[in-house]
Amino acid sequence: TVHALEPLLYAFRPEQILMITEPSVCMGALWIPYRRDTAVMKDVLQFTMDDTTRRKVSIVFCHADVRGAYMNDGMRCREGLEITSFPADLPIYSGHFHKPHTMIFKHKTGAMFKANEHAKEKNVASKGEFLSTTLRYVGSPYQTSLSEAGQEKYLYCMKVDGSDGIAAAKWVEEERWCIDIGKKYIKATSLTDP
C-alpha cells in the first residue's frame, strides 16, 4: 500500500523508522492505517474484541472516516464507520479529518455528542453506570485550507508505560500543546477587510 508517509522511508535509515502499512499490534497499541473499505475496518476492530488481543491493547491509533465527525467547521461526515464500531473502553486517536475534536458515545444512553476539545475525557465506567467510546480526531498540525481558518491546532504528548508481558503497555495522553505553525487563512467578513 502506498500512502503519503512513504517518502519518510527514503528520508531515514531503516532502523530509524517503523512504517505501519497493515493493521498491527505494536507497543500495546492497535495501529490501523487508512482503509477505504469500511467492512475491512470493522473486521479489524472486531479483532480487538477477542480476549487475547484485548489484553495486549490499551489504545487504538487509526486513520478513519466516522459518521458524525466534523470534516471541517460546517460539515459532518455522512459515510464511514459508526462510532459504535470502536471498542467501548479503549481511547481512540484518529487522523483523517483536519479539525481537532472529540466524539463520545455513551453506551447506556446511546447519546453521542461533541466534547469540549480542551477536555481530557476519561474512558471508564463510572460506578457501573455506563461505558463510553471516546474517539479523538487529532487534526492537522497547521491550517491547510480556508476551511480551517481560525481553528486551533494541537500537538499531543503521549506517554507509554512498558508491558509486564501479560497486560498491554499503558498509553496516556500526558499533555496537549496548542501549536501555531504554518501559514494562516483568514475569512473576510466584508469587502473592506484588509
Side-chain angles (χ1 to χ4, degrees), residues 20 22-32 47-48 53-62 90-91 93 158 160-161 163 168-171:
I20 297 175
E22 295 295 326
S24 305
V25 174
C26 180
M27 296 177 59
L30 175 62
W31 303 84
I32 311 173
F47 174 73
T48 65
T53 305
R54 193 53 161 244
R55 286 190 294 271
K56 297 177 184 176
V57 173
S58 66
I59 195 166
V60 176
F61 293 104
C62 61
L90 296 177
Y93 286 79
M158 305 298 288
V160 62
D161 291 326
S163 170
K170 181 70 176 156
W171 288 79

Side-chain angles (χ1 to χ4, degrees), residues 69-177:
Y70 283 96
M71 297 171 75
N72 59 40
D73 286 332
M75 181 183 287
R76 288 182 178 254
C77 182
R78 295 181 186 175
E79 297 179 359
L81 297 169
E82 296 290 340
I83 194 169
T84 55
S85 299
F86 291 88
D89 55 349
L90 296 177
I92 300 134
Y93 286 79
S94 185
H96 198 54
F97 297 131
H98 291 197
K99 178 181 174 58
H101 65 287
T102 300
M103 297 174 67
I104 299 171
F105 182 84
K106 295 192 179 280
H107 290 267
K108 182 177 180 182
T109 63
M112 184 178 73
F113 59 94
K114 179 182 165 238
N116 181 332
E117 283 109 6
H118 306 290
K120 283 191 177 180
E121 297 296 333
K122 299 295 181 199
N123 202 9
V124 295
S126 168
K127 296 181 185 172
E129 294 173 4
F130 56 83
L131 284 175
S132 63
T133 299
T134 302
L135 185 145
R136 174 163 290 157
Y137 275 100
V138 297
S140 58
Y142 53 86
Q143 295 176 15
T144 62
S145 70
L146 184 59
S147 68
E148 297 176 56
Q151 287 181 7
E152 287 188 333
K153 302 296 182 172
Y154 300 97
L155 180 64
Y156 297 83
C157 177
M158 305 298 288
K159 179 181 176 185
V160 62
D161 291 326
S163 170
D164 62 7
I166 298 169
K170 181 70 176 156
W171 288 79
V172 176
E173 181 183 312
E174 195 167 70
E175 293 183 66
R176 184 173 5 161
W177 301 295

